[in-house]
């Protein structure tokens, strides 16, 4: 691993400032980024550790489930709030990687990385979630821009993800036997249409594939 | 170089580390605790698992500098001062839960976290699923699973409930 300057800010403004202007990179749970550094696939001059920003927590706001960016997979998987609101999301989080990965990996880190084999991007896209950043709010289909590419600017950080609570949702994947990444994964949601206009069917079915396609895909 | 302070196996420890130093390098090279192994070095095999503030963590995928102020337990910190083994170590011995022994420190550290975080009991399937982050190249999983099931009642000081599958 090449050496770098390490920063651990305690305020968001300091974090975005540290990320701006140089080739600094943000460190969330590090479950992808640290292996990337070890393989010298990245050579940032500075690494900004986001774990001191207090960006963790899960709450209900109206008809949405709001998860802050540094919330770990383990916290999502074991949260009674998530289990009640969107049990499929708790199930998804509980099957990412392995126990040790789930203790450190974060929802914001997974989304910012946008690995096509990762589980969370499919949930965010299929559930129609909104990604809030230090600069704006982005709809899922504006956020994901292709393999490992997102709309995030270098000094822009995800702060929270807001999931509208669906009537029903499910996620299934064919995991790689070693890494548990999705070889193919799919998420479906049923949306209860509150004011059905002319269509006879009251439910809309949305599916999204992870894994095989090079980027998140809504079917 | 940064100067970090932490607690390792109940004792204060400190070291001068580079930003890029991994936690496992801090433990093995700086603190000479070589019981924690590096197997794959790609966060898959689990030979490097240690306890960080009570959670099992792959120490090859955490920076040493991130360990400032934390409490770490390694395999060396499990047995009592008089040499009495931790119940999990004792059950690994009793059930022969190891062959070459390379994966064993990580297996034991993961197994303790698994048992501690399931006070309601563990089924055989839950134990097998809970070990998904630990790979044994000797493929000796069966006795490891038996050892963990046997350690549960000792660690929780009660009989294992009949947990639902």
């Amino acid at each position: 691993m090449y050496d770098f300057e390490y920063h651990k800010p305690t305020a968001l403004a300091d974090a975005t400032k540290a990320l701006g202007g140089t080739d600094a990179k943000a460190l969330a749970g590090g479950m992808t980024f640290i292996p990337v550094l070890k393989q010298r696939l990245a050579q940032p001059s500075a690494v900004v550790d986001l774990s001191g920003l207090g960006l963790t927590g899960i709450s209900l706001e109206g008809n949405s489930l709001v998860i802050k960016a540094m919330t770990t997979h383990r916290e999502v998987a074991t949260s009674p709030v998530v289990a009640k609101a969107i049990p499929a999301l708790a199930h998804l989080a509980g099957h990412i990687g392995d126990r040790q990965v789930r203790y450190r990996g974060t929802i914001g880190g997974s989304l910012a990385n946008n690995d096509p084999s990762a589980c969370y991007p499919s949930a965010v896209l299929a559930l129609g979630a909104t990604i809030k950043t230090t600069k704006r709010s982005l709809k899922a289909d504006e956020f994901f821009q292709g393999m490992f590419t997102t709309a995030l600017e270098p000094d822009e950080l995800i702060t929270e993800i807001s999931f509208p609570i669906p009537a029903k949702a499910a996620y299934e994947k064919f995991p790689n036997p070693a890494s548990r990444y999705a070889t193919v994964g799919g998420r479906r949601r049923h949306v209860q249409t509150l004011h059905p206009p002319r269509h006879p069917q009251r439910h809309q079915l949305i599916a999204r594939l992870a894994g095989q396609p090079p980027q998140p895909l809504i079917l | 170089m940064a100067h970090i302070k932490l607690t390792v196996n109940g004792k204060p420890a400190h070291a001068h580390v580079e930003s890029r130093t991994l936690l496992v390098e801090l433990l093995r090279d700086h603190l000479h605790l070589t019981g924690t192994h590096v197997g794959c070095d790609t966060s898959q095999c689990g030979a490097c698992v240690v306890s960080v503030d009570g959670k099992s963590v792959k120490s090859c995928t955490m920076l040493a500098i991130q360990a400032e102020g934390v409490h770490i337990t390694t395999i060396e910190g499990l047995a009592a001062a008089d040499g009495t083994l931790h119940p999990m170590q004792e059950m690994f011995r009793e059930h022969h839960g190891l062959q070459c022994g390379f994966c064993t420190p990580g297996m034991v550290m993961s197994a303790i976290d698994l048992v501690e975080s399931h006070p309601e009991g563990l089924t055989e399937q839950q134990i097998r699923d809970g070990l998904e982050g630990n790979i044994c190249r000797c493929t000796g999983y069966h006795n490891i699973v038996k050892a963990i099931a046997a350690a549960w009642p000792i660690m929780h000081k009660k009989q294992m409930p009949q947990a639902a599958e």
Side-chain angles (χ1 to χ4, degrees), chain B residues 60-131:
Chain B
C60 82
T61 313
M62 178 171 161
L63 301 173
I65 203 166
Q66 294 181 286
E68 169 71 36
V70 305
H71 283 73
I72 288 181
T73 306
T74 69
I75 192 77
E76 290 93 340
L78 293 182
D82 67 357
T84 305
L85 295 178
H86 183 283
M88 189 61 76
Q89 292 173 304
E90 184 60 32
M91 288 303 104
F92 266 64
R93 192 193 63 77
E94 177 74 22
H95 292 271
H96 195 62
L98 63 152
Q99 290 177 42
C100 84
F102 191 85
C103 73
T104 312
M107 284 284 182
V108 169
M109 298 311 295
S110 290
I112 290 171
D113 176 30
L114 185 64
V115 168
E116 284 179 347
S117 56
H118 283 86
E120 77 286 2
L122 275 169
T123 63
E124 182 188 328
Q125 191 57 48
Q126 284 175 310
I127 294 172
R128 291 183 184 276
D129 290 345
L131 289 179

Side-chain angles (χ1 to χ4, degrees), chain A residues 1-6 8 27-31 34-35 38-40 47 49 51 74-75 94 96-104 178-180, chain B residues 18-22 41-44 49 52 54-58 60-63 65-66 68 110 113-115 117-118 129-130 132-135:
Chain A
M1 197 187 311
Y2 298 110
D3 207 10
F4 47 79
E5 275 181 46
Y6 173 84
K8 189 177 174 182
L27 170 63
M31 295 297 97
I34 291 177
K38 286 166 72 174
Q39 293 181 60
R40 297 187 170 184
V47 168
D49 186 344
S51 64
R74 167 85 180 175
E75 287 162 339
I96 295 172
D98 54 48
R99 185 178 188 81
Q100 290 73 34
V101 166
R102 294 192 289 271
Y103 271 131
R104 293 194 65 79
S179 70
R180 299 296 191 261
Chain B
E18 289 184 296
S19 299
R20 61 179 167 177
T21 304
L22 296 168
D41 206 12
T42 57
S43 22
Q44 308 218 17
V49 169
V52 177
K55 295 172 181 168
S56 58
V57 163
K58 291 183 173 175
C60 82
T61 313
M62 178 171 161
L63 301 173
I65 203 166
Q66 294 181 286
E68 169 71 36
S110 290
D113 176 30
L114 185 64
V115 168
S117 56
H118 283 86
D129 290 345
E132 64 189 333
N134 293 78
I135 296 171

Side-chain angles (χ1 to χ4, degrees), chain A residues 8 32 45-46 52 64 73 79 97 99 124 132 154 159 166 208 213:
Chain A
K8 189 177 174 182
T32 300
S45 61
S64 291
H73 309 325
S79 157
R99 185 178 188 81
V124 164
K132 288 186 187 160
T159 54
R208 181 271 190 199

Side-chain angles (χ1 to χ4, degrees), chain B residues 7-30:
Chain B
T7 305
V8 180
N9 297 331
K11 294 176 195 150
H14 67 95
H16 291 277
V17 295
E18 289 184 296
S19 299
R20 61 179 167 177
T21 304
L22 296 168
L23 176 58
V24 71
E25 294 167 343
L26 168 69
L27 295 172
R28 287 180 57 86
D29 302 341
H30 294 247

Side-chain angles (χ1 to χ4, degrees), chain A residues 90-198:
Chain A
H91 172 85
L92 174 150
H95 290 80
I96 295 172
D98 54 48
R99 185 178 188 81
Q100 290 73 34
V101 166
R102 294 192 289 271
Y103 271 131
R104 293 194 65 79
T106 67
I107 185 168
S110 172
L111 295 175
N113 189 47
N114 192 21
D115 185 327
S117 297
C119 297
Y120 267 128
S122 76
V124 164
L125 196 59
L127 292 170
T130 301
I131 293 165
K132 288 186 187 160
T133 76
T134 46
K135 296 187 175 183
R136 53 197 161 150
S137 285
L138 288 158
K139 283 286 176 197
D141 48 6
E142 300 165 333
F143 180 82
F144 299 112
Q145 298 196 337
M147 190 187 280
F148 296 108
T149 312
T150 69
L152 286 176
E153 291 168 14
D155 63 342
E156 183 176 16
L157 289 168
I158 300 173
T159 54
E160 63 184 41
I161 300 96
S162 176
F163 293 92
I165 297 171
K168 279 183 184 175
Y171 179 75
E172 285 301 330
K173 65 175 173 178
F174 293 98
N176 176 295
S179 70
R180 299 296 191 261
Y181 271 114
T183 315
V184 178
R187 170 170 279 277
R188 292 152 51 124
R189 71 164 161 154
H190 285 282
V191 185
Q192 202 116 32
T193 313
L194 291 176
H195 303 290
R198 300 188 187 100

